[in-house]
């Protein structure tokens, strides 16, 4: 029984870790700047800023972590909390990127207006596409949805890599960005925007999953037939979950194309489906922090080891060449040995250590879509 | 009820095939070109069948959608290429100078490697996960990525195009004033033999009866004292070996590249869903239909701006069929 006036302190006490991480991330550009003696704003050259120095470099690394984190969290909403596997998450990511890019480059509107319209239309389109794909395939049980999403995503990838209007495989660069957002002009601003969206996604998913709607999501994951028997229209709830996840993924795709100032078919490529899948599973399915840990961990490892080489006797092997192999093998090991991922396994150990029966945290046999009631 | 739905399926199949042939006829212009379209369609259909049949039987029996099937196709292509050509990992060019006999060995090597990797995947990785089907799906997806990485590690990322010539690949026969490749006919023939062979295996042998019973209810079969797990391994290995065989016979035409598997996997999945998951007949019919559709789209797309049309055709056909019959042409009630 907590009196209302203590609720803020109570919230902080319960969530000290996310709050501390958030504080660290807000101060991060300045901490790196102070440690490496570089300006978080970049180096001024005339009236333009040049993005040089350790602080600016690390900002872009973290922006990539935020983008992958948003993508992984949105994937976790469908996969981890609603129990539906999509192999076409790149569709939403790429769609968001393409729509924003086309608004900025092809409509000839004022940059600010194009930006706002592009974001609104892109997010809405991702939601609508999610609804359509879900409506066509979700009425069927089992793997149909998985296959269908893979097929649609791959179709879009092929389409955009052949479409002459968007320069097919080469894609197009985004030249006209509002100056306050342009990552080559004011990366610090863009860093905070990405961070804000990242934090928003985290809070939004937590709020959603802890709401009555989220309870139905989890019920569908555990046993869809029972959720239906209780009287919920499970199709509608699954559609909501997919549309929301698609909208979040689209916003991540928009951040990605702004960061690279380029739109190409690679944003629709299968790697933007594989990455969130790996990150979610390695971090911990159906946990709030797992996808974040997975995306941050994997991306930072990738950045650290990208240029490293191992030398065994005569032969030296570049880690970058082995990266995919290591990632895939690690993923297989996690799937077989630690199916709950890092966070899930840790939570289970903690529960066991406290002497509670960890029965609730068992790997979910009910995620079997073919389980008969 | 069942009979009417089966009848609508057959009507739909005939209608779609006639429509495809009509479009093919219009775009081809001459009977020779039309013949080439049909032959190319059957050729691609048979290659698709070699990927899709494994997917279909494995899914029907084990409820595993093997996303690594495309990777086995790719490995088959690489192994066959490697054995056939000078300077590979296994260099047989001096031991067996005759390219025709060497090609036979190349195909056999591909089948052995595919089967071996299939056993490893089923025994080592999938078996612990039968209680967790979602993870099986995810795992085979991961395995396909790892296999692609291993292939790139051994054979680099550069795609290979088949350069070694051998008798049957080079020969042609003439019909309606058009030259047809004998090799395509050979692959079509092999495909038909396999379709009939697997159907006979399923229909008339003891193992086939066990497999069909397992598709219906594997728990019941196990209760009757039959080692279903061993049958699982056998079927999984068979599926992987067929996919590797497909890659090997496709390699002389398509070469070996790390992306070949993904495109065949996606089309193969389209075939399996379109035919009705777990239905062998559906898979065979679906393969021919999708192969024909791709060939017709290729011939229709020549000289137009729709160069992406052939690659999205399988998905368009899949969406069309799913809208008419949500559980596929020969599928049971999917709900």
């Amino acid at each position: 029984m907590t009196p209302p006036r203590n609720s803020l302190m109570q919230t902080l006490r319960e969530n000290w870790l996310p709050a501390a991480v958030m504080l660290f991330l807000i101060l991060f550009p300045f901490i790196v700047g102070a440690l490496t003696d570089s300006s978080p704003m970049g180096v001024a050259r005339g009236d333009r800023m040049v993005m040089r120095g350790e602080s600016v470099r690390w900002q872009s690394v973290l922006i990539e972590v935020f983008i992958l984190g948003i993508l992984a969290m949105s994937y976790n909403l469908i996969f981890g909390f609603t129990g539906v596997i999509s192999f076409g998450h790149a569709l939403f990511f790429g769609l968001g990127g393409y729509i924003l890019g086309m608004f900025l480059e092809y409509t000839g509107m004022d940059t600010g207006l194009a930006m706002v319209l592009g974001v609104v239309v892109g997010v809405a389109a991702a939601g609508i596409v999610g609804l359509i794909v879900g409506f066509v395939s979700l009425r069927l049980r089992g793997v149909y949805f998985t296959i269908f999403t893979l097929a649609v995503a791959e179709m879009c990838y092929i389409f955009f890599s052949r479409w002459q209007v968007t320069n097919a495989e080469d894609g197009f660069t985004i030249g006209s960005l509002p100056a306050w957002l342009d990552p080559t002009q004011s990366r610090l601003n863009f860093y905070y925007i990405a961070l804000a969206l990242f934090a928003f996604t985290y809070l939004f998913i937590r709020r959603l999953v802890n709401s009555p709607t989220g309870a139905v999501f989890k019920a569908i994951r555990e046993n869809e037939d029972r959720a239906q028997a209780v009287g919920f229209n499970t199709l509608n709830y699954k559609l909501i979950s997919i549309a929301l996840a698609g909208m979040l993924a689209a916003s991540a795709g928009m951040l990605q194309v702004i960061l690279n100032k380029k739109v190409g078919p690679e944003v629709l490529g299968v790697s933007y489906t594989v990455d969130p899948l790996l990150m979610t599973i390695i971090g911990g399915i159906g946990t709030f922090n797992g996808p974040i840990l997975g995306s941050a961990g994997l991306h930072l490892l990738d950045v650290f080891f990208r240029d490293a080489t191992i030398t065994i006797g005569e032969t030296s092997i570049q880690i970058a060449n082995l990266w995919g192999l290591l990632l895939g093998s690690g993923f297989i090991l996690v799937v077989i040995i630690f199916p709950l991922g890092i966070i899930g396994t840790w939570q289970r150990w903690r529960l066991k250590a406290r002497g509670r029966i960890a029965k609730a945290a068992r790997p979910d046999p009910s995620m079997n879509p073919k389980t008969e009631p | 009820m069942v009979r009417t739905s089966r009848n609508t399926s057959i009507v739909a199949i005939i209608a779609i095939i006639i429509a495809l042939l009509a479009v093919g006829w219009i775009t081809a212009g001459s009977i020779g070109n039309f013949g080439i379209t049909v032959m190319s369609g059957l050729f691609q259909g048979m290659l698709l069948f070699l990927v899709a049949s494994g997917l279909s039987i494995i899914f029907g029996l084990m409820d595993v959608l093997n996303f690594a099937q495309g990777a086995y196709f790719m490995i088959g292509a690489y192994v066959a290429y490697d054995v056939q050509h000078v300077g590979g990992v296994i260099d047989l060019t001096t031991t067996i100078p005759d390219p025709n006999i060497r090609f036979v060995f190349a195909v056999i090597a591909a089948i052995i490697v595919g089967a071996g990797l299939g056993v490893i995947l089923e025994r080592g990785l999938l078996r612990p996960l039968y209680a967790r089907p979602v993870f099986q799906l995810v795992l085979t997806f991961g395995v396909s990525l790892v296999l692609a990485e291993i292939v790139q590690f051994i054979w680099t990322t550069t795609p290979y195009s088949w350069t070694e010539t051998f008798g049957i690949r080079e020969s042609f026969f003439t019909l309606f004033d058009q030259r047809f490749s004998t090799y395509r006919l050979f692959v079509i023939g092999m495909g038909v033999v396999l379709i009939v062979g697997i159907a006979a295996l399923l229909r008339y042998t003891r193992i086939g009866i066990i497999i069909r019973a397992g598709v219906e209810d594997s728990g019941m079969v196990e209760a009757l004292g039959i080692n279903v797990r061993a049958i699982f391994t056998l079927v999984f290995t068979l599926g992987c070996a067929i996919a590797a065989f497909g890659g090997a016979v496709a390699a002389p035409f398509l070469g070996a590249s790390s992306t070949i598997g993904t495109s065949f996997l996606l089309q193969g999945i389209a075939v399996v869903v379109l035919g009705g998951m777990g239905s062998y007949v559906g898979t065979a019919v679906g393969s021919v239909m999708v192969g024909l559709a791709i060939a017709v789209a290729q011939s229709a797309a020549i000289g137009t701006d729709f160069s992406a049309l052939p690659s999205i055709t399988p998905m368009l056909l899949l969406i069309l069929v799913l809208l008419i019959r949500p559980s596929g042409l020969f599928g049971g009630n999917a709900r």
Side-chain angles (χ1 to χ4, degrees):
Chain A
M1 282 288 111
T2 320
R5 65 192 165 85
N6 278 343
S7 66
L8 180 65
M9 286 313 294
Q10 176 83 10
T11 315
L12 266 183
R13 207 177 303 132
E14 280 172 2
N15 297 294
W16 63 271
L17 187 62
V21 169
M22 187 67 198
L23 191 66
F24 171 73
L25 288 176
I26 291 172
L27 296 175
F28 178 82
F30 297 96
I31 296 173
V32 176
L35 288 177
T36 61
D37 197 24
S38 58
S39 160
M41 315 289 283
V43 183
R45 185 166 293 167
D47 56 348
R48 290 178 67 83
M49 300 300 287
V50 179
M51 290 300 122
R52 199 176 284 166
E54 283 297 295
S55 173
V56 175
R57 194 174 80 81
W58 278 103
Q59 283 171 37
S60 68
V61 170
L62 276 207
I63 292 170
E64 282 165 5
V65 170
F66 296 153
I67 293 170
L68 289 169
I70 296 170
L71 190 62
M73 281 190 279
S74 70
Y75 191 74
N76 190 34
L77 178 65
I78 324 180
F79 179 33
F81 290 119
T82 321
V84 181
I85 321 173
S86 150
F87 278 172
H89 215 54
L91 171 68
F92 303 117
F93 187 81
L95 208 60
Y98 259 100
I99 290 176
L100 179 62
M102 289 183 75
F103 261 94
L104 286 169
E105 287 299 306
Y106 286 85
T107 52
M109 279 189 279
D110 171 61
T111 323
L113 182 66
M115 187 74 211
V116 173
L117 277 181
V119 170
V120 171
V121 173
V123 169
I128 292 168
V129 167
L131 286 180
I132 294 173
V133 169
F135 190 75
V136 174
S137 55
L138 267 182
R139 286 170 301 155
L140 295 162
R141 283 287 168 84
V143 291
Y144 281 88
F145 176 72
T146 311
I147 294 168
F148 204 77
T149 49
L150 183 68
V152 175
E154 206 59 19
M155 218 165 79
C156 277
Y157 173 71
I158 294 168
F159 178 77
F160 277 104
S161 55
R162 303 272 175 91
W163 201 30
Q164 290 306 321
V165 175
T166 56
N167 288 342
E169 298 220 337
D170 300 328
F172 56 93
T173 51
I174 297 176
S176 49
L177 271 178
W180 55 271
L181 186 69
D182 191 341
T184 56
Q185 277 300 299
S186 42
R187 184 159 308 160
L188 195 61
N189 282 351
F190 187 59
Y191 175 86
Y192 284 123
I193 290 170
L195 176 60
L197 196 59
F198 178 71
F200 168 77
T201 307
Y202 178 77
L203 294 175
F204 176 75
I205 289 184
R206 262 182 71 149
R207 187 71 199 84
L208 178 69
V209 171
N210 289 329
S211 73
T213 309
V216 182
F217 288 170
K218 284 188 275 187
I220 292 172
R221 177 188 70 188
E222 297 303 331
N223 191 330
E224 188 174 346
D225 290 315
R226 282 184 206 165
Q228 219 158 24
V230 174
F232 292 108
N233 185 342
T234 54
L235 175 65
N236 285 355
Y237 282 91
K238 288 196 279 188
L239 287 177
I240 292 171
S241 167
I242 286 149
L244 288 175
M247 288 156 94
L248 290 171
S251 60
M254 290 172 185
L255 291 179
Q256 175 80 30
V257 299
I258 296 173
L259 178 66
N260 292 340
K261 294 185 80 170
K262 180 191 178 281
V263 186
E266 64 277 355
V267 291
L268 282 159
V270 75
S271 71
Y272 283 109
T273 298
V274 176
D275 285 353
L277 178 71
L278 296 186
M279 288 161 178
T280 309
I281 288 187
I282 290 177
I285 305 168
T287 60
F288 294 113
N289 300 326
I292 297 174
L293 191 73
S295 52
L298 288 182
H299 189 67
L300 292 179
L301 281 178
D302 191 6
V303 169
F304 282 129
F305 290 113
R306 201 175 281 162
D307 302 321
T309 50
I310 313 175
T311 311
I312 308 164
E314 298 283 291
T315 54
S316 63
I317 301 166
Q318 280 229 315
I319 294 282
N321 294 343
L322 280 175
W323 179 245
L325 193 58
L326 292 175
L327 194 62
S329 317
F331 168 70
I332 290 173
L333 284 180
V334 168
V335 166
I336 290 186
I337 303 169
F338 303 111
L340 299 171
I342 297 169
I343 298 276
T345 310
W346 185 68
Q347 284 175 348
R348 195 175 168 197
W349 280 349
R350 210 175 51 164
L351 281 178
K352 268 192 181 165
R354 285 186 189 170
R356 294 181 198 166
I357 304 300
K359 219 174 180 179
R362 241 180 11 173
D364 25 15
S366 50
M367 273 178 83
N368 177 3
K370 295 197 87 167
T371 308
E372 296 299 327
Chain B
M1 189 61 194
V2 173
R3 177 166 293 166
T4 51
S5 70
R6 179 56 67 92
N7 283 345
T8 50
S9 285
I10 290 168
V11 169
I13 293 162
I14 293 171
I16 291 173
I17 289 183
I18 288 176
L20 284 173
L21 291 179
V23 174
W25 179 257
I26 293 164
T27 54
S30 73
I31 190 161
N33 284 336
F34 179 65
I36 284 191
T37 304
V38 171
M39 183 134 168
S40 147
L42 290 176
F43 173 71
Q44 297 184 51
M46 290 312 153
L47 291 182
L48 276 177
F49 174 77
L50 295 176
V51 176
S53 58
L55 279 175
S56 168
I57 304 176
I58 292 171
F59 182 82
L61 181 67
M62 302 156 71
D63 286 339
V64 178
L65 190 70
N66 182 16
F67 268 94
Q69 201 80 11
Y72 284 88
F73 187 88
M74 170 192 72
I75 283 174
Y78 269 100
V79 170
Y81 179 91
D82 188 275
V83 172
Q84 184 84 15
H85 288 75
V86 182
V89 180
I90 310 165
D91 200 334
L92 291 179
T93 40
T94 46
T95 334
I96 309 166
D98 183 359
N100 286 311
I101 299 173
R102 203 160 63 236
F103 183 65
V104 174
F105 276 90
V107 171
I108 292 172
I111 293 174
I112 291 171
V113 171
L117 288 171
V119 174
I120 294 173
L121 174 56
E122 205 277 335
R123 279 279 161 104
L125 301 178
L126 280 183
R127 196 159 267 204
L129 295 179
Y130 277 110
R132 292 181 278 148
V134 170
F135 284 86
Q136 281 184 329
L137 193 64
V138 169
L139 182 92
T140 57
F141 198 54
V143 167
S144 74
L145 300 176
V146 170
L147 288 178
E149 290 290 336
I150 291 173
V151 161
Q152 292 188 356
F153 196 68
I154 300 176
W155 285 290
T156 73
T157 49
T158 329
Y160 296 110
S161 55
W162 194 274
T163 50
E164 178 86 36
T165 56
F166 58 97
I168 195 169
R169 179 173 175 251
E170 298 307 307
S171 60
F172 290 91
F173 64 94
T174 310
L175 197 70
F176 305 122
D177 297 330
Q178 275 289 351
R179 269 150 52 91
F180 290 92
S181 158
T182 315
Y183 186 75
R184 286 187 185 233
L185 197 66
F186 163 73
V187 172
I188 294 171
M190 293 295 272
V192 172
V193 168
L194 263 172
I195 290 179
V196 175
I198 295 175
L201 176 89
L202 290 175
R203 188 85 183 78
Y204 297 113
T205 64
R206 187 179 147 74
I207 285 179
I209 290 168
I210 296 173
I211 292 174
R212 280 187 294 138
V215 170
E216 292 296 321
D217 188 341
S218 62
M220 192 65 208
V221 175
E222 204 162 15
L224 290 173
I226 290 161
N227 187 352
V228 170
R229 285 299 166 91
I231 301 288
F232 278 15
T233 309
L234 179 79
V235 164
F236 197 87
T237 309
L238 187 70
C240 292
I242 295 174
F245 170 76
V249 295
F253 255 85
L254 306 175
S257 69
S258 52
T259 52
I260 190 174
T262 320
S263 61
F264 269 92
L265 172 75
L266 286 169
Q267 295 174 358
I269 288 176
V271 163
V272 174
V273 177
L274 187 147
M277 306 225 36
S279 158
Y280 180 76
V281 181
T283 306
V285 173
S287 303
V288 174
M289 248 166 66
V290 172
L292 274 180
I294 294 174
V296 168
Q298 275 166 345
S299 114
I302 293 171
T304 66
D305 292 334
F306 302 107
S307 58
L309 186 64
S311 26
I312 59 175
T313 303
M315 304 311 168
L316 291 178
L317 198 60
L318 171 65
I319 293 170
L320 181 75
V321 169
L322 281 188
L323 288 177
I324 302 170
R325 266 184 67 79
S327 52
L329 291 173
F330 288 88
N333 195 358
R335 290 224 63 159

